[in-house]
Amino acid sequence: MEGGGAYVRVTIKDIAREAGLSTSTVSLALNKKSHRLSEQTRRRVLEAADRLHYRPNQLAVGLITKRTNTIGLIIPDVSNVFFSELSKGIEERCQEHGYNVLLCTSSDNPKKDVDYLNVMLDRGVDGVLLAMSATASPSVAVECCEIAAHAETPLVLLDRSVGDRSVASVCIHHELGGYLATRHLLELGHRRIGCITGPMASHSAKQRFYGYIRALQEYSVAFDPALVMEGDYHMFSGLNLAQPMLRTGVTAIFAANDMMAYGVYKYAVTHGLHVPKDLSLVGFDNLFFSELMEVPLTSVDQPACEMGACAVSRLLELIENRESGNEETLFTPELIVRKSTCPLPMEKG
């Protein structure tokens, strides 16, 4: 620190002067070419660098190695605990491998998916992890993939797969998750089961809805379109749709994510309804707060941290070997049964 507290970057010349060695010797030691040096000299350089609090200039290193050791991460909603947990898994795995994370949040705006991807590429990231906005159309996903391919930068899609096996992706088996949630309610005797979907432009929302349909068919329950309403994966859509949904006479609701389930729960308890006695409720994601609710929420577990870590590993494979393939990595969901569901009372059957 010099000049009234201004930070001055330590250079190789400073280390050479401190260690009493040539700049070329210091360069060999710092650039991991110390096999040409004696152990005593290598240690002398590293100790001098440590005393001076030396930090390598990553831009300069990047020019030499063609790497910045930075991964770009674009998520749609930082307030959604699922994406917070996903980001946590990503950051922890990146730290293990010496990578930094550059984070952007699109606020579920598809245009920002594209804009932020270009920002990431301009910053020279080594690869990008992209969780598409919930309302992004397949054409936006294709555009993002084409932009990354043109820049020769590996891209892995997270959670909201576009259903294209030519693109590397890490997500859960959404259709199976929707099926497990609905089957659970059917096994409890419910037949008028409402479904609050996510934005139907998204692959995940469609697949979870298809799982709902498959379970109804398996139990020979006629599909009623009046019991299906489209949400947006945010809590307030669950809150706003709860009233018209309950007017249809449903005894149970499958909300396509926990955030919307929280909204339904809030509406129910503030209007004198008891969960699960008056309304059974199932969510999707199994967020941390779902277990802490006054009535713990039954939910389809989506292991966000593990998925984030897996996505980083997949991306690093692509960074090291561009020919390693673009297959989809699919996690198997599990239904976590808690106290928000119960058998349908006989008088309602």
Side-chain angles (χ1 to χ4, degrees), residues 43-325:
R43 187 173 301 169
R44 184 172 165 185
V45 170
L46 296 180
E47 288 174 352
D50 186 58
R51 286 195 299 273
L52 296 176
H53 305 291
Y54 170 74
R55 290 175 57 84
N57 185 327
Q58 291 300 327
L59 289 176
V61 172
L63 289 174
I64 298 170
T65 64
K66 307 300 182 183
R67 297 276 178 86
T68 61
N69 276 42
T70 303
I71 284 176
L73 170 61
I74 304 172
I75 59 174
D77 181 12
V78 73
S79 67
N80 185 326
V81 182
F82 170 76
F83 290 109
S84 300
E85 288 294 306
L86 189 75
S87 301
K88 177 183 177 182
I90 288 168
E91 184 175 24
E92 289 176 351
R93 183 57 57 88
C94 281
Q95 286 181 341
E96 291 174 7
H97 292 272
Y99 275 78
N100 299 307
V101 180
L102 180 61
L103 171 66
C104 289
T105 305
S106 68
S107 301
D108 268 325
N109 182 341
K111 182 178 183 302
K112 287 186 177 181
D113 287 336
V114 178
D115 292 343
Y116 283 144
L117 176 58
N118 282 310
V119 169
M120 300 286 190
L121 298 175
D122 289 344
R123 294 293 182 91
V125 297
D126 297 330
V128 177
L129 298 172
L130 171 60
M132 302 291 300
S133 297
T135 57
S137 66
S139 63
V140 175
V142 170
E143 181 179 1
C144 288
C145 293
E146 289 178 347
I147 290 171
H150 181 73
E152 297 184 341
T153 301
L155 173 72
V156 174
L157 295 178
L158 283 167
D159 182 44
R160 295 173 184 173
S161 166
V162 294
D164 185 349
R165 295 302 179 91
S166 67
V167 180
S169 64
V170 174
C171 65
I172 201 163
H173 196 312
H174 296 290
E175 192 269 349
L176 178 57
Y179 168 80
L180 292 174
T182 310
R183 186 185 70 176
H184 171 66
L185 295 170
L186 289 162
E187 289 175 341
L188 292 173
H190 296 276
R191 291 300 178 264
R192 290 192 64 77
I193 301 171
C195 179
I196 299 179
T197 73
M200 291 302 281
S202 73
H203 178 73
S204 63
K206 287 179 182 176
Q207 292 299 313
R208 293 176 194 184
F209 173 62
Y210 295 156
Y212 164 81
I213 295 291
R214 177 160 73 93
L216 293 179
Q217 291 174 338
E218 186 174 290
Y219 278 74
S220 301
V221 175
F223 170 67
D224 185 350
L227 305 187
V228 179
M229 298 181 185
E230 184 176 357
D232 63 6
Y233 283 143
H234 295 273
M235 186 189 74
F236 283 105
S237 70
L239 183 65
N240 294 333
L241 291 173
Q243 182 181 33
M245 179 69 78
L246 288 167
R247 283 176 178 168
T248 66
V250 296
T251 61
I253 292 176
F254 163 46
N257 80 339
D258 282 3
M259 298 298 289
M260 295 191 297
Y262 297 161
V264 173
Y265 179 83
K266 181 177 181 179
Y267 179 89
V269 297
T270 56
H271 286 78
L273 297 176
H274 183 273
V275 176
K277 179 181 173 182
D278 300 315
L279 176 72
S280 283
L281 180 62
V282 179
F284 196 117
D285 282 339
N286 192 32
L287 301 180
F288 173 72
F289 295 111
S290 297
E291 189 175 6
L292 303 180
M293 294 171 64
E294 185 176 354
V295 178
L297 181 69
T298 294
S299 182
V300 176
D301 184 45
Q302 187 170 200
C305 270
E306 292 90 335
M307 291 171 65
C310 174
V312 172
S313 297
R314 188 74 194 89
L315 186 61
L316 294 180
E317 288 176 7
L318 291 171
I319 290 171
E320 295 300 326
N321 178 16
R322 303 299 172 89
E323 305 301 322
S324 63

